[in-house]
């Protein structure tokens, strides 16, 4: 009887040790499946864009200026890399009139830069005339390309502020105007150092759409300015190939 009891106890101890070893193995294997794999996938999906230290935007502007026959010596500020606002030595602006030229460069992941030349002319008290020109700038050579900038959905361009509820008739009128020529009513703010841009509702031509025509008809109404969402609502991130909506 005593021998039987000792044998039974020994078997129980062996079974207990086996269960503990089995649990231990299970606990060490689980994190490898549920935690490590997603982290590795996220790291693989991240796009690494090159770090820019040269004044690329200034170099691109010099080529743009040359193509437009602009003469003069342009100033390149210190630490200028992918964003540049044209500034010429001894530049004298006409009183009551403004011309602004900005160049923004976004690096392609395979080399070269997507480059935007933003040109704005405005008389005092007017909203101005906006013009965007697009290039691939690579190895010092500019090549014109089609417009690749994102155009938000109309609803995303409208304010959602509860302090200023939108009137349905005004929304309908603005929507019809926007959908007839969406490219004429989206302006952009460029942030190449952050690989971002922001889009907002705005007439690109004061003369064509804000001022009345020969019959006294207005395309863009003053009320439309108050209906616009802030640019932050439509922020896009450059991924080395195109702009995608930022979360």
């Amino acid at each position: 009887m005593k021998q039987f009891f000792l044998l039974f106890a020994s078997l129980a101890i062996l079974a207990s040790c086996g269960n503990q070893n089995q649990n231990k193995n299970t606990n060490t294997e689980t994190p490898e499946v549920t935690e490590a794999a997603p982290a590795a996938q996220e790291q693989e999906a991240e796009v690494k864009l090159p770090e820019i230290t040269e004044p690329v935007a200034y170099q691109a502007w010099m080529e743009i200026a040359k193509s437009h026959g602009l003469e003069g010596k342009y100033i390149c500020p210190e630490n200028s890399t992918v964003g540049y606002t044209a500034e010429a030595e001894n530049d004298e602006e006409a009183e009551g009139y403004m011309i602004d030229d900005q160049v923004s460069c976004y690096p392609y992941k395979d080399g070269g830069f997507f480059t935007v030349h933003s040109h704005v002319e405005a008389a005092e008290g007017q909203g101005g005339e906006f013009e965007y020109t697009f290039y691939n700038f690579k190895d010092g050579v500019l090549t014109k390309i089609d417009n690749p900038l994102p155009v938000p959905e109309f609803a995303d361009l409208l304010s959602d502020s509860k302090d200023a509820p939108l009137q349905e008739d005004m929304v309908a009128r603005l929507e019809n105007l926007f959908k007839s020529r969406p490219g004429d009513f989206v302006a952009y703010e460029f942030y190449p150092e952050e690989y971002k841009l922001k889009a907002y509702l705005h007439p690109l031509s004061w003369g064509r759409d804000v001022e009345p025509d020969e019959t006294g008809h207005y395309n863009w109404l003053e009320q439309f300015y108050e209906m616009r969402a802030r640019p932050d609502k439509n922020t896009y991130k450059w991924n080395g190939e195109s702009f995608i909506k930022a979360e």
Side-chain angles (χ1 to χ4, degrees), residues 155 157-166 227-230 233:
L157 292 165
L158 293 180
S159 171
D160 53 8
S161 172
K162 297 180 181 179
D163 297 331
L166 304 180
M227 298 166 58
R228 304 177 300 169
R230 295 174 60 84
K233 185 178 179 181

Side-chain angles (χ1 to χ4, degrees), residues 25-240:
N25 291 337
T26 303
N27 291 336
T28 56
E29 294 174 358
T30 301
E32 297 179 4
V33 176
T34 59
E35 296 179 9
Q41 292 174 359
E42 184 177 351
Q43 186 175 3
E44 291 177 0
E46 185 178 352
V47 177
K48 297 293 185 182
L49 296 176
E51 182 179 354
I52 310 302
T53 58
E54 297 294 320
V56 178
Y58 171 77
Q59 295 167 3
W61 165 248
M62 294 303 293
E63 295 301 317
I64 293 170
K66 185 188 303 182
S67 70
H68 287 278
L70 299 178
E71 298 180 355
K73 186 175 182 180
Y74 290 91
I75 302 169
C76 181
E78 293 184 9
N79 302 320
S80 175
T81 54
V82 291
Y84 176 70
T85 299
E87 181 182 1
E89 291 185 355
N90 303 320
D91 188 16
E92 297 182 2
E93 293 186 0
E95 185 176 353
Y97 197 79
M98 180 272 292
I99 298 178
D100 183 68
D101 288 288
Q102 296 185 10
V103 177
S104 303
C105 296
Y106 296 82
Y108 286 113
K109 66 179 184 180
D110 296 327
F113 296 84
F114 164 63
T115 300
V116 185
H117 172 209
S118 174
H119 178 80
V120 183
E121 296 188 27
E124 187 175 355
Q126 295 185 355
E129 303 290 324
F130 291 70
E131 182 181 3
Y132 301 112
T133 313
F134 311 96
Y135 304 92
N136 181 349
F137 183 54
K138 186 174 184 179
D139 298 329
V141 178
L142 280 173
T143 305
K144 271 192 175 182
I145 60 175
D146 293 334
N147 182 358
L149 298 184
V151 176
E153 296 292 333
F154 174 71
D156 292 335
L157 292 165
L158 293 180
S159 171
D160 53 8
S161 172
K162 297 180 181 179
D163 297 331
L166 304 180
Q167 300 177 10
E168 291 185 6
D169 58 335
M170 287 291 99
V171 171
R173 181 166 178 171
L174 178 55
E175 183 174 14
N176 289 335
L177 176 62
F178 173 80
K179 289 187 174 180
S180 68
R181 297 183 278 121
D184 292 337
F185 297 100
V186 179
Y188 299 89
E189 296 178 356
F190 300 98
Y191 302 89
E193 294 86 356
E194 303 173 16
Y195 306 110
K196 291 181 180 179
L197 67 75
K198 299 178 182 181
Y200 62 101
L201 196 62
H202 191 81
L204 299 189
S205 174
W206 177 274
R208 180 186 59 227
D209 291 311
V210 181
E211 292 186 330
D213 60 19
E214 297 82 0
T215 66
H217 172 75
Y218 291 85
N219 289 325
W220 181 274
L221 303 180
E222 284 294 322
Q223 295 94 316
F224 294 164
Y225 287 113
E226 301 176 359
M227 298 166 58
R228 304 177 300 169
R230 295 174 60 84
D232 290 346
K233 185 178 179 181
N234 295 286
T235 301
Y236 295 82
K237 183 80 172 178
W238 176 252
N239 66 2

